[in-house]
Amino acid sequence: MNIQGIDHVQLAMPAGEEDQARKFYHKLLGVPEVPKPPDLAKRGGVWFEDDRVRIHLGVDKNFQPAGKAHIAFLVDNVSELASRCSEEGYRIVDDEPLDGYIRIYVYDPFGNRLEFMEPVA
């Protein structure tokens, strides 16, 4: 058995906050929303997918944001993303340098920490 790749990532969110998820993941990050399968849609949450990334947000009754664990996304312009996130009021945190990357952490509307990394030549 060998891991072949990652199909999707799942993050937790509080109930009834799908519009906040759409504002961040679709409008700000540009990942299109896709319909959840009907049986799963009953649970709430929202899915965002394109040909590069699949992010699923599921409702957790006892929601606690992921403040340390995180997903690291590769992006082509960290400074532009940081500006857009700042303009929209999202929390941005710089971290220690990492050879080969410019990177920041952004907290989604629910407090989940996300890392955004831009490779540098």
Side-chain angles (χ1 to χ4, degrees), residues 8-116:
H8 68 276
V9 297
Q10 169 107 9
L11 295 169
M13 62 175 278
E17 297 294 325
E18 287 81 2
D19 285 343
Q20 289 299 317
R22 290 178 181 103
K23 181 179 175 189
F24 183 81
Y25 289 93
H26 175 63
K27 290 184 181 174
L28 183 70
L29 298 184
V31 185
E33 181 178 354
V34 298
K36 290 181 70 173
D39 286 342
L40 298 178
K42 294 183 264 183
R43 302 178 190 171
V46 62
W47 289 6
F48 303 94
E49 300 180 0
D50 64 19
D51 60 341
R52 298 160 293 145
V53 65
R54 295 167 47 145
I55 307 164
H56 297 174
L57 281 94
V59 171
D60 186 339
K61 293 178 193 174
N62 300 311
F63 174 74
Q64 293 291 320
K68 179 69 175 170
H70 63 277
I71 302 160
F73 295 102
L74 293 173
V75 297
D76 59 10
N77 193 327
V78 164
S79 62
E80 178 185 329
L81 177 63
S83 294
R84 291 172 48 207
C85 289
S86 180
E87 288 171 8
E88 295 294 326
Y90 295 104
R91 181 178 167 211
I92 302 167
V93 175
D94 290 319
D95 199 4
E96 299 296 320
L98 182 62
D99 286 344
Y101 296 94
I102 301 167
R103 67 189 185 131
I104 60 171
Y105 291 104
V106 177
Y107 290 79
D108 78 1
F110 318 116
N112 293 312
R113 182 170 85 151
L114 308 172
E115 184 174 10
F116 294 92

